[in-house]
Amino acid sequence: MQTEVIVAGAGPTGLMLAHELALAGIPAVVLEKERTPNPQSRAGQLQPRTAEVLDLRGLLDPLIEDMPSGNQSGGHFAGLPVELDCRPWRTRHPYPVAVPQARLEAFLEQRLAGLGVPVLRGHEVTVVEQDRDGVSVGDVRGSYLVACDGGHSTVRRLLGVPFPGRAGRTTSVAADITLASRSEDVPAAAGHVSRYTRSAGGYFTVLAPLGADLYRLIFGKLTGDGPDRKVPVAAEEIREALQAVYGPETELGELRAASRFSDAVRQVDRYREGRVLFAGDAAHIHMPIGGQGVNLGIQDAVNLGWKLAATVRGWAPAGLLDSYHTERHPVATQVLQHTRAQAVLLNTGRDEEVAAVRDMVTDLLRLPEVNRHVAGMMAGLDVQYPGLGPRMIDLDLLTQAGRTRVSALMHSGRGLLLSLDGNNRTTGGRGDRVDHVTAESDDDMDAVLIRPDGHIAWTGTDSTPLETALARWFG
């Protein structure tokens, strides 16, 4: 099979990347070793920036259509009892959006089918060979390969790419379950994550209601001891943890799905090795806290997608593809750092020293400026790449065609030159890469050039000419 881009892995990162490439008209194929989708909920929410990015492509509303309005509570840092407030970041999605990862993957795969992008299930990567002209993965040949195949990336292993960092010291369990009976300690309704966290009998648990009598249970031993992550999770193991924390009245009903995870922290040194690039968990892993993995992976995909498409098309300016590593590697480094800090603070065994730090950080989070800073960090709303402006606010606009929003003008996956002062501007013959729209807004802004990933590349107040910015990012 011949294609332009081979995507290894049909998780959120790989599927979103394939979607970005499809919007740009780049042929791609997704290879997934599992024959059937993983039914486990896994990540249960989308951080505000992930919701914004999906909105940029017109994907959010159909994704959450027919879903309950969900929990309107703020995010969290280390499960501490203070809601993170994202409203100062001027986002239309100030709360995490409750969407199970399984639903997100099924939705994206369905979208790819509509765009004619094949997702080949049961297609395990066993060999990777690259040369100056392309990459071969078995009988599939492409110009580039993007490894989105998870923390235990086969692509990374086959290429001998190091994955430096720290090995896992503890293992925990994530499971989707129903309850045959429950005590009063079991949360009955959605709320802030701090309401779900308990410890007793040598265990810590996070038990979150998912609706329709389904719960997501995360648990482990306070000592950190636990079976190897490859050992299947048994119902008796879950039953023991439930009764230790929630009492003998709490009985396991059905074990729907379960898996183990560790607190390992690793990151590849370079996100590009020749014609092979790494994204999502294949590039970085950390303890799963607060939907950070999906948030990172989706943003990796939208940062890389248009740059890789430009490279395949032949109009990418010098260094554009390499800017994927330059921009995204430090973002993941920061996430690895703050998830390590949260792992310490999550010690619900109430070690006296840790308890003192938890109390102090809790008080700090109640200060508006601290809360804003941490909220932006956890939500991904604070990301600003070197030499660029921040993410573009999703302004309400009035155009000749009527009322709209910035996000609605970016569904094509192209860049956007937005003139808000009535002056005529030009994209310099780049109409296939940058849309130009004249509009009115209540915000005091005269003009802005927005990259396809939603970050500001130029404004009318910059000393750099518009043409320079256009050439820098759009050739």
Side-chain angles (χ1 to χ4, degrees):
M1 175 185 291
Q2 183 71 39
T3 190
E4 285 289 356
V5 178
I6 306 167
V7 179
T13 304
L15 296 171
M16 189 68 188
L17 175 63
H19 183 270
E20 293 292 285
L21 294 169
L23 288 182
I26 302 300
V29 60
V30 181
L31 307 181
E32 170 55 52
K33 69 176 181 178
E34 299 298 336
R35 294 187 177 278
T36 58
N38 187 338
Q40 190 173 350
S41 61
R42 290 163 289 159
Q45 61 184 16
L46 306 177
Q47 286 287 356
R49 182 55 185 164
T50 308
E52 287 186 346
V53 166
L54 293 174
D55 229 359
L56 287 176
R57 300 298 182 259
L59 298 174
L60 184 63
D61 286 346
L63 171 65
I64 62 177
E65 189 178 16
D66 300 327
M67 289 188 67
S69 58
N71 174 26
Q72 295 291 290
S73 64
H76 72 93
F77 182 80
L80 297 174
V82 180
E83 291 190 24
L84 299 180
D85 185 3
C86 287
R87 288 173 298 180
W89 289 93
R90 296 188 65 189
T91 175
R92 293 181 184 270
H93 311 286
Y95 307 106
V97 181
V99 177
Q101 183 174 329
R103 181 182 177 106
L104 173 61
E105 291 175 358
F107 170 78
L108 290 175
E109 189 166 344
Q110 183 181 38
R111 281 295 174 121
L112 290 181
L115 293 170
V117 179
V119 177
L120 304 183
R121 291 193 166 273
H123 199 120
E124 185 173 1
V125 175
T126 58
V127 60
V128 176
E129 299 172 328
Q130 65 169 318
D131 52 51
R132 59 181 297 176
D133 298 318
V135 185
S136 295
V137 179
D139 60 354
V140 183
R141 175 77 174 174
S143 299
Y144 290 89
L145 165 65
V146 185
C148 305
D149 53 343
H152 297 274
S153 169
T154 300
V155 174
R156 196 181 58 232
R157 176 176 57 80
L158 289 172
L159 291 177
V161 174
F163 203 27
R166 177 179 59 73
R169 296 178 296 193
T170 65
T171 59
S172 305
V173 172
D176 293 348
I177 64 173
T178 63
L179 297 176
S181 61
R182 64 190 189 193
S183 68
E184 293 182 354
D185 293 331
V186 173
H192 191 254
V193 70
S194 58
R195 293 172 50 188
Y196 307 150
T197 305
R198 293 177 65 87
S199 62
Y203 287 92
F204 74 88
T205 62
V206 180
L207 186 59
L210 299 178
D213 298 323
L214 185 65
Y215 286 82
R216 180 186 301 108
L217 171 67
I218 297 173
F219 72 91
K221 293 186 177 180
L222 292 173
T223 59
D225 298 330
D228 184 89
R229 63 178 305 276
K230 295 181 181 179
V231 176
V233 179
E236 184 55 38
E237 187 180 352
I238 293 176
R239 192 172 290 114
E240 181 179 331
L242 281 172
Q243 296 196 353
V245 178
Y246 299 98
E249 316 94 284
T250 303
E251 283 283 351
L252 175 66
E254 180 185 2
L255 170 56
R256 298 277 181 88
S259 59
R260 299 185 194 277
F261 63 90
S262 79
D263 62 345
V265 179
R266 297 184 183 277
Q267 185 179 24
V268 295
D269 289 330
R270 297 186 303 274
Y271 282 12
R272 180 183 178 187
E273 295 287 340
R275 288 181 172 268
V276 180
L277 299 108
F278 298 89
D281 288 352
H284 40 70
I285 59 171
H286 54 81
M287 187 173 181
I289 302 175
Q292 295 299 298
V294 171
N295 206 38
L296 270 178
I298 292 290
Q299 290 187 70
D300 283 351
V302 296
N303 184 287
L304 174 59
W306 67 279
K307 297 174 180 178
L308 186 53
T311 303
V312 171
R313 285 284 184 229
W315 61 258
L320 182 66
L321 187 56
D322 288 332
S323 73
Y324 164 63
H325 166 85
T326 304
E327 293 179 351
R328 293 303 299 166
H329 192 279
V331 173
T333 298
Q334 182 190 43
V335 172
L336 266 59
Q337 189 74 353
H338 74 62
T339 51
R340 292 177 77 163
Q342 290 182 79
V344 174
L345 293 173
L346 276 166
N347 183 333
T348 51
R350 303 303 289 179
D351 174 280
E352 289 186 3
E353 283 74 19
V354 174
V357 178
R358 282 174 59 92
D359 290 344
M360 181 176 180
V361 174
T362 299
D363 288 342
L364 288 172
L365 287 175
R366 293 191 174 104
L367 300 176
E369 281 304 306
V370 175
N371 192 293
R372 179 188 182 277
H373 174 81
V374 177
M377 178 182 71
M378 290 295 291
L381 297 170
D382 69 341
V383 173
Q384 183 169 344
Y385 303 125
L388 291 170
R391 79 192 210 288
M392 179 64 186
I393 303 300
D394 192 10
L395 302 176
D396 288 310
L397 302 173
L398 178 61
T399 69
Q400 288 184 339
R403 296 193 176 277
T404 187
R405 304 184 315 187
V406 171
S407 60
L409 298 176
M410 302 197 70
H411 291 180
S412 67
R414 294 189 289 270
L416 176 64
L417 174 59
L418 195 57
S419 293
L420 300 171
D421 56 3
N423 291 335
N424 290 323
R425 293 180 174 85
T426 177
T427 61
R430 302 177 181 88
D432 59 332
R433 310 162 204 175
V434 184
D435 295 326
H436 181 207
V437 176
T438 301
E440 297 177 9
S441 169
D442 290 337
D443 269 56
D444 184 20
M445 184 178 290
D446 53 8
V448 60
L449 176 64
I450 310 166
R451 301 195 320 183
D453 58 359
H455 287 269
I456 295 175
W458 174 88
T459 69
T461 59
D462 289 356
S463 57
T464 303
L466 171 59
E467 174 58 27
T468 301
L470 285 164
R472 168 68 184 90
W473 297 109
F474 300 101

